[in-house]
Amino acid sequence: MILIINILLLIAGFALLVKGADYLIDGSVAIARRIGVSELFIGLTIVAFGTSAPELAVSIKAAISGSGIAIGNVLGSNVANVALILGAVAIFQPLKISRSTIRKEIPFVVVASIATGMLLLSGSMALNRYDGIVLLCFFVIFVDYLFAMARDDRILELEEEKAIPHLEHKIGLAILATVGGLVGVVFGSDLVVKSGIELARAFGVSDTLIGVTLVAFGTSLPELVTSITAGIKKKADLAIGNIVGSNIFNLLLVLGVSSVISPIRADRDITQDIVFTLASIVFLLLLSGFRRRKLGRTGGVLLLSLYVAYIYMSLRAG
C-alpha cells in the first residue's frame, strides 16, 4: 500500500513539475516584456530565487536541527545545476550564452565557489556565523549588481511571439502564471524527492551523502525541468540565468542564512564536492568561451560525463 502511494505521489509530483515549469516560463517572459527588462534579468532573479526555494527550505531546516545535510545539499545541487541540468538542456537544445553572462555572471559564480570552498576548507568542513556573514556580504554585492543591470536598462530586442499574447498584455495574469508555476514546480519536486530520502536513510546512508545525491537532485528538479522547458521554448537567457542565479543563491544566500542561524558542519570529507563545484562552473566557462558563446550538444555530453564522474566518486566515498 505504501509503495502504491509513493508511486502515485511520484507521478503527481512530475506532473506538477512539468506543468508548473510551462506556466513559469510563459509568465516570466511576459513579465520581462511588460516591465521592460531582459529575460536574463528575470532568470537571474525571479526564476532563480523561486527554483532555489527548495534548497533554502531544506538547508534552513537542517541547520536548525543540527543535521549535516545543508552543506552537501548545496554543493551537490550546484554541481547538478551546471553539469546535469545545463548538460541535459544543451543536448535537447544548444544554448547561446550572452556576452555579459560569460564576462560577469559566470565569473561571479567562480568567485563565490572559491570563497565558499576556502571558508569550508579552513573551517574543517564547517561554516560558523562569521562565515555566514561573509557569504551574505558577497550576496549583497550580487544584489547590487542586479540593481545596476536594471538601471543600465539592458533590455533585449524582443520580437513578438504568438505563443503568449494573452499573458503579455495582462500583467496580473502573467504574475499569476509565474507564481502558480513556481508553486507547482517547488511542490512537485518535494513530492518526488521525499520517498527517495526515506529509502536512503533506511539503508544507513549519511546525511551529507543524501544531500549530495538524492536531496541535491530532488531540490535541483525545479531548475532541471524549468531550464529544459526554457530551452525547448528557445529562451536560452532564462535557462542560463536560472542556473547561474540559482548557484549564486545557493552558495551565498542559502549557506549564508543557514550558518548564521546555526553553525553547520558536514558529516564527512567534502573536499571532492568542493572541487567538483568549482570545476563544473569553470568547465562551463571554458566550453561556452571556446564555442563562440554557445553551449552545444558536445559540450552537453561533456558536462553530463562530469556529473556521472561526480556521482560515481561520491558513492565510492560514501
Side-chain angles (χ1 to χ4, degrees):
M1 184 65 181
I2 295 177
L3 179 62
I4 295 175
I5 292 174
N6 283 332
I7 292 174
L8 291 175
L9 288 175
L10 186 67
I11 295 172
F14 274 114
L16 281 172
L17 274 167
V18 173
K19 197 60 181 176
D22 188 51
Y23 279 115
L24 174 59
I25 294 303
D26 283 354
S28 297
V29 173
I31 290 174
R33 294 181 175 185
R34 185 61 184 269
I35 66 178
V37 295
S38 67
E39 292 174 11
L40 176 61
F41 178 83
I42 295 295
L44 286 167
T45 53
I46 296 174
V47 179
F49 181 77
T51 55
S52 289
E55 284 92 341
L56 183 60
V58 169
S59 296
I60 289 177
K61 183 179 179 181
I64 293 173
S65 65
S67 171
I69 205 170
I71 296 174
N73 174 37
V74 165
L75 295 179
S77 182
N78 275 21
V79 177
N81 283 350
V82 176
L84 171 64
I85 296 174
L86 285 185
V89 173
I91 291 174
F92 274 101
Q93 178 67 49
L95 299 170
K96 186 73 173 179
I97 304 177
S98 70
R99 183 175 284 103
S100 73
T101 299
I102 292 177
R103 292 181 177 180
K104 297 178 180 179
E105 286 92 34
I106 293 180
F108 192 89
V109 180
V110 173
V111 172
S113 300
I114 292 173
T116 304
M118 290 177 64
L119 290 173
L120 284 168
L121 293 174
S122 64
S124 300
M125 307 304 167
L127 294 173
N128 58 39
R129 288 188 171 91
Y130 295 107
D131 295 329
I133 292 172
V134 170
L135 293 177
L136 290 177
C137 286
F138 273 101
F139 183 70
V140 170
I141 294 173
F142 175 65
V143 171
D144 182 66
Y145 166 71
L146 292 176
F147 279 115
M149 178 191 289
R151 286 195 303 267
D152 292 341
D153 198 27
R154 293 170 57 193
I155 303 173
L156 299 178
E157 289 295 331
L158 299 169
E159 56 187 29
E160 291 186 4
E161 285 194 21
K162 297 179 180 180
I164 54 171
H166 59 294
L167 293 178
E168 187 176 346
H169 299 294
K170 297 180 179 179
I171 189 64
L173 190 59
I175 293 173
L176 181 62
T178 303
V179 174
L182 275 174
V183 171
V185 164
V186 172
F187 187 62
S189 68
D190 186 59
L191 288 178
V192 169
V193 77
K194 277 185 174 178
S195 59
I197 294 175
E198 293 304 320
L199 183 62
R201 283 178 174 162
F203 281 94
V205 178
S206 70
D207 276 355
T208 301
L209 184 57
I210 292 174
V212 168
T213 54
L214 288 175
V215 177
F217 178 74
T219 55
S220 288
L221 276 175
E223 287 92 342
L224 175 63
V225 179
T226 300
S227 293
I228 288 178
T229 303
I232 293 174
K233 291 175 178 285
K234 300 187 184 300
K235 301 296 179 182
D237 278 341
L238 272 175
I240 296 293
N242 176 29
I243 297 304
V244 171
S246 290
N247 276 26
I248 293 173
F249 277 108
N250 288 346
L251 289 171
L252 304 182
L253 182 63
V254 174
L255 286 184
V257 170
S258 298
S259 55
V260 166
I261 290 173
S262 177
I264 52 179
R265 177 182 297 276
D267 58 1
R268 70 179 179 88
D269 187 351
I270 54 171
T271 303
Q272 75 175 24
D273 305 300
I274 295 171
V275 171
F276 270 95
T277 298
L278 180 59
S280 62
I281 194 65
V282 171
F283 202 29
L284 172 63
L285 187 61
L286 294 176
L287 286 173
S288 56
F290 291 147
R291 295 284 295 177
R292 295 183 180 179
R293 297 188 287 111
K294 183 178 182 180
L295 182 63
R297 290 187 172 89
T298 300
V301 171
L302 291 174
L303 284 174
L304 281 176
S305 299
L306 181 67
Y307 187 70
V308 171
Y310 169 65
I311 291 298
Y312 174 74
M313 293 181 67
S314 295
L315 291 175
R316 286 194 61 184

